[in-house]
Amino acid sequence: MNQQYPSILLEKAVGEFSKLPGIGRKTAMRLVLHLLRQDTATVEAFGNSIITLKREVKYCKVCHNISDTETCQICANPQRDASTVCVVENIRDVMAVEATQQYRGLYHVLGGVISPMDGVGPSDLQIESLVRRVTEGGIKEVILALSTTMEGDTTNFYIYRKLDKLGVKLSVIARGISVGDELEYADEVTLGRSIVNRTLFTGTV
Ligand SMILES: [Zn+2]
């Protein structure tokens, strides 16, 4: 379909929006036209919030969760159980586990899972810093809460091999979630239950 835009500026804006996940050109056009109808201050606030987010957002130096401060609110909270660390793929997973209100430990955000197909190797992920955290001591249990995909399993096993000799208990969340489901899509009750009912990880799937 050869869509004619009456303005290059409009075409550019639609082009940018349609780069976002799940946004086709039709939706992009609707969003852009919606923004055009707003007053200048509203659109500036919208644009600035994205630019400021990108420029100023920090990642917790301990767990790599998104944060406004050097150490995130979860790591800095003395009420949390610092002897338990839950390993997740991304920040959305932290939010999903937090929403269950079943977990009082800390997190470690890997930034993805090992996926040779996508060119993601162990060194692209925050695995070494996890090993360092465990080596530094004070952590009794590491809970693996990665998605139940082949990539998730590969990553579980890689972490297991890295941590096995360090004398830390390694557990995996119960597979109440069906295979292939991503953690963030599990409902809160199911996810909460699968954390409570976690099992010892022995290196076999
Ligand atoms: Zn943190």
Side-chain angles (χ1 to χ4, degrees), residues 60-65 70-76 107 133:
C60 173
K61 63 179 167 52
V62 181
C63 73
H64 314 290
N65 189 15
E70 282 243 307
T71 308
C72 77
Q73 285 177 14
I74 296 171
C75 288
Y107 293 92
R133 274 179 88 177

Side-chain angles (χ1 to χ4, degrees), residues 74-86 98 102-107 133 138-143 198:
I74 296 171
C75 288
N77 183 351
Q79 311 275 44
R80 306 284 302 215
D81 169 18
S83 73
T84 309
V85 170
C86 181
E98 283 297 285
Q102 297 287 317
Y103 180 67
R104 298 301 302 158
L106 304 183
Y107 293 92
R133 274 179 88 177
I139 295 172
K140 294 196 191 101
E141 180 178 3
V142 172
I143 304 167
R198 60 187 182 270

